[in-house]
Amino acid sequence: MSGRRGQHRALPPAGPARRARRTGRLGRLALTLTIVFTALLSGGTLMFGASGFAGALVVGGALVTAAWHRLARTPGEEVRNAHADDAATAGADAAGPGAGGRNMSGRNMSDRGAGGGSGPYEQGRSPLPAQEADRSGGTGRTPSRDLVLRAPRPEFRPDGSSTGGSAHPEAEGPGSASGPARRPEPAPRPHPGTSPDTGIGAPAGPEPVPHERPRTEIEGFPVLATPSRAFHASWLLPEQPAPHGLVADRAELGGLVLRAASVIGPGHRALARPRQDAYRIGRDRSGDHLIVAVADGMSDSPHSDIGAQVAVSALVGAVREALDSGTDPESLARVQVFLAAAKQMYAAADARGWTADDVRAVAAVAVIPAAAEPGTARRVWLGAIADATAWRLEKGAWDRLIGDGKSGYDPSSVSSFLPHTPDLATYETVELRSGSALAVTTDGVGDALESGPTAREWFADRWAGPPEVGRFLMDVGFEQVQMQDDRTAVVVWCADEETA
């Protein structure tokens, strides 16, 4: 388009010259038709006689008719095209070489129409139809509505500097000034994991849809051996409001570093049951002691999740009250600590119209000095009922300090629990040296430590020092076949320097 109009602009007004060229073309056409018609008549007569003469006459008549229609149509169109081109050239000459806002032909499409431009258009002449204007060039195609490129707009970078390119959607690219204007094709979007410069790393096929991911996906939890089917099941939401499925904490007190986490087990989340484990951490008013409590609600108790929450709050509260009153940890009224928890569990059940059997749970509690005397180990007070346990990690080996191991025909059954038998709780005072760790756990983690050397070595390696709290949470949510219960662990590291 642009090359053809550029040639027209270089010619002077030449309406008579165009008519002379048309006359020459008509003469050549007439001579060609005469030769073809004579050849048809002669060949047909020689080869087929009278029938050949008749056939040649019919074909020749058709050619003459077609030529006549061509001659009858072309003059009027060429006269109108000549007027249009003459007007365009006159407008360009009148504007002069320095006129702005014009493209190639000397006029903008917005100038077309009565009273809207210069030259013949000011006299009320309407513009030519787009189809007829394009036929004058012999293409026979309907051009686009706007044949003239508007002035290109510059492109800008995000910082406001010019890129030197054009923002016009049909502007020609660099080095294509003599070629036709083409609309740039949009660049394909790069794959999220592909380098925009090299394209390396793009996978074959369509881009993956981000939201199309397995709905049972639970990435991050490590597998000790073989995962269970419940591990891959969906996490279902309990019908009634329930504790969070995952909780975690980190804290420091004196020379102690703490990580705590509780994760709903596969057996409960696959059946839309609440997490029945709970933990609570606290300190006395002076900050001399760290207090840790864990509880495990019994599965055959319909509201044991509430019972576990009440139990850990009551245990930490009872110990803190005794320490703040000046009682030494080793002189605690041991039975009174678990009895206080039992009383609050009874009260919570009664306030909700439940029985004591509806909130049954087992629990363990620990009191750890925040600092140790130089050259001495910490004296840690422990209390537990049933299979809530406490473990010491020292020099890569685990040692169960308190709590019942699993044994008997039904290892999951327990004979003591809160709130019914607080007097059956057991108590110990143990030493915790610098560099060692104490883990207070429910049976979801304690059973793994009891299961054998593989799990013990794995946990000893993972918890040789305080990990990041997120990784600790994933460790507590480990997967192992036939271990479906909730998992809770509060681990305390003695991180202060050991002195001679």
Side-chain angles (χ1 to χ4, degrees), residues 2-98:
S2 59
R4 187 173 72 245
R5 291 192 181 275
Q7 294 173 359
H8 289 171
R9 187 178 62 179
L11 295 176
R18 289 181 180 275
R19 285 190 289 274
R21 288 197 298 271
R22 183 180 63 83
T23 303
R25 288 197 299 271
L26 293 179
R28 289 192 297 273
L29 179 61
L31 178 60
T32 302
L33 287 175
T34 301
I35 294 173
V36 171
F37 188 74
T38 302
L40 284 173
L41 290 177
S42 301
T45 303
L46 291 175
M47 296 178 64
F48 303 103
S51 60
F53 179 81
L57 198 63
V58 172
V59 174
L63 289 174
V64 171
T65 302
W68 172 256
H69 284 297
R70 173 70 180 174
L71 293 174
R73 180 180 56 184
T74 302
E77 292 182 358
E78 291 195 358
V79 169
R80 289 194 297 271
N81 289 338
H83 278 301
D85 288 337
D86 292 345
T89 307
D93 293 341

Side-chain angles (χ1 to χ4, degrees), residues 276 297-305 356-360:
Q276 297 172 348
M298 300 177 67
S299 296
D300 60 348
S301 184
H303 301 291
S304 62
D305 56 316
D357 283 337
D358 294 336
V359 294
R360 286 174 290 141

Side-chain angles (χ1 to χ4, degrees), residues 391-440:
W391 300 74
R392 178 172 55 202
L393 175 61
E394 191 171 64
K395 297 180 180 179
W398 290 99
D399 180 25
R400 179 160 55 86
L401 304 175
I402 198 171
D404 298 337
K406 297 295 180 67
S407 62
Y409 178 77
D410 185 5
S412 297
S413 64
V414 295
S415 57
S416 58
F417 43 80
L418 294 173
H420 292 303
T421 58
D423 55 314
L424 296 181
T426 59
Y427 308 92
E428 294 287 345
T429 301
V430 298
E431 292 186 345
L432 198 62
R433 296 178 178 85
S434 178
S436 59
L438 175 74
V440 185

Side-chain angles (χ1 to χ4, degrees), residues 111-195:
D111 295 337
R112 295 184 177 183
S118 59
Y121 301 102
E122 293 181 351
Q123 302 174 9
R125 176 176 295 176
S126 61
L128 295 177
Q131 179 70 29
E132 293 182 4
D134 196 66
R135 281 178 184 162
S136 64
T139 62
R141 297 191 302 268
T142 302
S144 60
R145 184 175 298 274
D146 193 352
L147 299 179
V148 182
L149 297 181
R150 295 185 176 91
R153 301 187 304 273
E155 290 182 335
F156 295 95
R157 298 187 180 92
D159 59 0
S161 61
S162 174
T163 62
S166 172
H168 196 285
E170 295 181 359
E172 298 176 359
S176 61
S178 61
R182 298 185 181 182
R183 186 181 300 275
E185 297 183 1
R189 290 188 306 170
H191 190 271
T194 306
S195 168

Side-chain angles (χ1 to χ4, degrees), residues 306 342-359:
I306 302 298
K343 289 180 179 179
Q344 292 195 30
M345 293 172 71
Y346 274 115
D350 185 65
R352 293 167 172 80
W354 304 334
T355 67
D357 283 337
D358 294 336
V359 294

Side-chain angles (χ1 to χ4, degrees), residues 17 43 92 129 228 291 316 336 372 395 437 457 477 493:
S228 63
I291 310 169
V316 172
Q336 296 301 319
K395 297 180 180 179
E457 291 174 3
W493 287 266

